[in-house]
Amino acid sequence: MSILIFNAIVRYFPVFGDNQDSHNYTKTISPEEENPSLAMPSQWGFQSLHRTSLIVVIGVAMTAGILPSVAVQGRRIMASPVKPSIDRTFFTNEGEYIYKEAPAVFTLNGDGAGKDVKDFPHQQLIDLLGGDESCAKCHCGEAQGIAIQSKKDYRACALCHNDMYKLHPKTKAIGLKEAYHSRCIQCHDQEGVTRGKPNMSECIYCHR
């Protein structure tokens, strides 16, 4: 597109024309001017080609201008706010975080469209992965800039990943769906092989 625009400008405007003000200006005669029989027919010549390119540039620009924004920029990600899986108060009025032991089984907010992870076996997973020391395998920790002193410092995912798809406006934390999948599916790929459960990586394994 840039080449076509540049080509049209230098063709129809005196950008690289002869500089007649120069003290050593010399008029040159092209072979076509000297022998008109060498010139290409106007309807098939370069003049027609450049004129066509200009029409194409203008046509593409006008087409892009009248197209809907979704066709040019792509479909925008709509906000889909999420809440922590456990319905309780996490912060005091002063902004201090309140820790409360998560129940053994609860429902994870899956994708905001009803495909939640039912009966998520939280305590069973803790025991399976190595007890309280295994929290960092699923939850964010020091690698994400969160100071961890004990398991009480681990928070519900949706407190930081507060939208299903969009980045957090301040912390730039990824969407909750991406956070879940980046933490879960890699482990499922490995565990599925060792446990003889190839379906552990399939959506239906969690989104029942």
Side-chain angles (χ1 to χ4, degrees):
M1 183 68 70
S2 300
I3 293 174
L4 288 176
I5 293 174
F6 176 79
N7 193 15
I9 291 175
V10 299
R11 181 67 183 181
Y12 295 103
F13 295 92
V15 178
F16 296 122
D18 293 329
N19 185 2
Q20 299 187 27
D21 295 331
S22 176
H23 67 279
N24 59 353
Y25 168 76
T26 301
K27 176 67 175 179
T28 59
I29 301 176
S30 66
E32 290 82 4
E33 292 176 326
E34 187 174 357
N35 187 357
S37 63
L38 297 177
M40 298 178 65
S42 59
Q43 62 271 28
W44 301 105
F46 288 103
Q47 184 76 17
S48 177
L49 178 62
H50 287 290
R51 187 177 296 109
T52 303
S53 67
L54 181 61
I55 295 174
V56 170
V57 170
I58 295 176
V60 171
M62 292 180 62
T63 302
I66 63 177
L67 285 174
S69 60
V70 66
V72 180
Q73 302 175 1
R75 189 172 299 278
R76 297 180 181 178
I77 299 177
M78 303 301 293
S80 180
V82 295
K83 293 183 179 180
S85 305
I86 308 167
D87 188 14
R88 61 183 174 86
T89 301
F90 284 91
F91 298 94
T92 64
N93 294 333
E94 290 76 23
E96 183 180 356
Y97 175 67
I98 303 174
Y99 173 80
K100 182 179 179 180
E101 193 77 29
V105 178
F106 55 83
T107 298
L108 284 176
N109 192 346
D111 61 359
K115 297 181 180 179
D116 295 331
V117 180
K118 307 291 185 182
D119 302 325
F120 181 76
H122 187 248
Q123 188 58 50
Q124 180 182 347
L125 193 61
I126 293 175
D127 299 336
L128 181 66
L129 295 178
D132 292 340
E133 300 299 324
S134 67
C135 297
K137 293 182 179 180
C138 297
H139 291 269
C140 294
E142 295 178 355
Q144 291 75 30
I146 302 174
I148 302 298
Q149 303 298 329
S150 68
K151 69 175 184 177
K152 293 184 178 182
D153 294 319
Y154 289 104
R155 305 183 179 187
C157 302
L159 290 180
C160 294
H161 309 279
N162 63 348
D163 191 275
M164 187 59 66
Y165 308 106
K166 301 183 70 173
L167 296 176
H168 192 286
K170 293 183 179 179
T171 65
K172 303 303 179 183
I174 59 179
L176 183 62
K177 182 178 180 180
E178 184 179 352
Y180 278 156
H181 286 179
S182 61
R183 287 280 177 172
C184 302
I185 292 181
Q186 293 181 3
C187 183
H188 281 208
D189 287 337
Q190 300 171 1
E191 292 294 326
V193 175
T194 59
R195 297 176 184 276
K197 297 180 178 180
N199 65 330
M200 282 189 71
S201 295
E202 298 179 4
C203 301
I204 193 67
Y205 186 81
C206 295
H207 301 284
R208 297 192 294 270

